[in-house]
Amino acid sequence: MGPAVKFTYFDLLGKGELIRLLLTKGGVDFEDNRISFAEWGNMKPTTTFGQLPMMTWDGLEMAQSHAIVRYVAKKVGLAGKTDEDFFQADMILEHTNDIWKDMPGLRFAAPDVKQAKAEEFLKTTFPKFLDGAEKMLKMRGGEWYAGNQVKMRGGEWYAGNQLTFADFAMYMVLFFISWPEEKGFQDVTGCDGRFKLLDNYPLAKANFIKIQNIPEIKKYLDTRKPGNPPGL
C-alpha cells in the first residue's frame, strides 16, 4: 500500500505544478486538493507559514515548495544516486529560482512599464539563464566539436546523467516562458521570439522535449485541466 499523500495548492500551475509532476512520475497516488482564492482567506491562518503549497505525506505536514520538491524527489527515486548527483540537481533547482524571482514583477507589471519589462526579460534575463542551463548540460556530456560537419555531443540530463528533479524544474521554467497563455506576456507586443529562443540552446531544448514526452508526464499533460485564473 502506497503512502497517503494530500497536496494542497491553488487551482493553477504556479509553484505547485513541479511537485505534481514529480508525484505523477513517481507513481504516487495523491489527492490534488485545489482551493480557490475565496477559500484561502479562511485557510491561511491554519497553515504552517501562511502560504501554499502544503502537503501531507502519511500524516507529516510539509511546507515550502522547494523543501517539498526535494523530499518527493528522494521518495520516488528522482534525487540521483549519489550526494554529488543530488547537489547537481539542487544547483539547477536554485538556478530556476533566479527566474521565478523575476516573474511576479513581469506578470503584474503596470501597463505603462510591462512592455519594456517583457522586452528586457527576453533580451537579457532569459538568455543569460539559458546560457547557464546549456553549460550545465555540456558539462554532463562533453563539448561541441567539429569534423566534416558540425556535430553535438552533450549530456541528456542536468544531474548525474540520469533523470532527476532538476530536469522537471527546468521543464517548468521553459514551459511557462513558451506557454501562449503566460500572463507575463499578455498585453504586450513583439514577444513572439520567445517561442523560438530554445533553438539557440539545443541541449536544453532536447531535455525539455524529453520531459514532456515521458509517458506518464505526457498523459498527465494531455488531460490536465486549465487553471483558474489562466496564465499562472
Side-chain angles (χ1 to χ4, degrees):
M1 184 176 179
V5 179
K6 180 179 180 179
F7 180 69
T8 301
Y9 191 58
F10 300 110
D11 187 19
L12 46 80
L13 306 184
K15 292 184 176 181
E17 196 66 2
L18 171 56
I19 297 166
R20 293 184 185 118
L21 291 181
L22 293 174
L23 290 167
T24 298
K25 180 62 181 80
V28 178
D29 184 14
F30 68 101
E31 179 184 349
D32 189 9
N33 182 35
R34 298 175 181 242
I35 68 166
S36 68
F37 287 106
E39 295 172 300
W40 174 234
N42 290 329
M43 181 181 180
K44 185 175 181 178
T46 70
T47 62
T48 306
F49 297 121
Q51 61 189 32
L52 294 178
M54 293 281 294
M55 188 174 78
T56 56
W57 186 293
D58 282 340
L60 175 63
E61 187 172 282
M62 305 176 185
Q64 295 292 354
S65 57
H66 282 184
I68 297 173
V69 164
R70 296 178 184 107
Y71 181 88
V72 173
K74 288 183 176 182
K75 284 291 189 179
V76 302
L78 291 170
K81 296 183 177 68
T82 66
D83 290 343
E84 290 74 23
D85 293 345
F86 179 80
F87 172 77
Q88 290 169 355
D90 206 29
M91 187 162 50
I92 286 294
L93 180 64
E94 292 305 312
H95 184 52
T96 64
N97 200 42
D98 292 339
I99 282 289
W100 293 129
K101 291 175 183 178
D102 290 329
M103 292 305 291
L106 179 60
R107 287 171 167 172
F108 303 104
D112 60 330
V113 298
K114 189 172 185 179
Q115 180 72 43
K117 282 181 172 289
E119 291 175 359
E120 178 64 19
F121 181 88
L122 293 177
K123 180 181 178 181
T124 304
T125 305
F126 195 52
K128 182 179 179 181
F129 169 81
L130 286 173
D131 285 341
E134 192 78 1
K135 184 183 297 183
M136 284 294 293
L137 285 172
K138 288 181 182 180
M139 289 169 61
R140 300 281 75 78
E143 298 292 338
W144 295 91
Y145 68 94
N148 294 328
Q149 57 183 340
V150 177
K151 297 182 179 179
M152 180 180 71
R153 182 166 64 92
E156 293 181 294
W157 314 111
Y158 285 100
N161 291 321
Q162 63 197 288
L163 180 65
T164 67
F165 64 94
D167 304 288
F168 290 94
M170 278 297 303
Y171 170 81
M172 283 310 308
V173 171
L174 301 184
F175 167 80
F176 275 115
I177 302 306
S178 61
W179 189 26
E181 296 181 30
E182 167 56 49
K183 184 176 176 63
F185 302 105
Q186 299 301 311
D187 303 316
V188 297
T189 60
C191 292
D192 288 350
R194 64 192 173 105
F195 300 121
K196 296 184 178 180
L197 263 177
L198 273 183
D199 291 345
N200 297 321
Y201 303 89
L203 294 176
K205 181 178 181 178
N207 178 271
F208 175 71
I209 292 171
K210 275 182 174 291
I211 296 300
Q212 65 186 11
N213 284 317
I214 293 171
E216 303 95 321
I217 300 304
K218 187 176 188 307
K219 180 180 178 181
Y220 172 81
L221 297 177
D222 287 345
T223 57
R224 178 171 64 188
K225 66 175 185 177
N228 182 31
L232 294 173

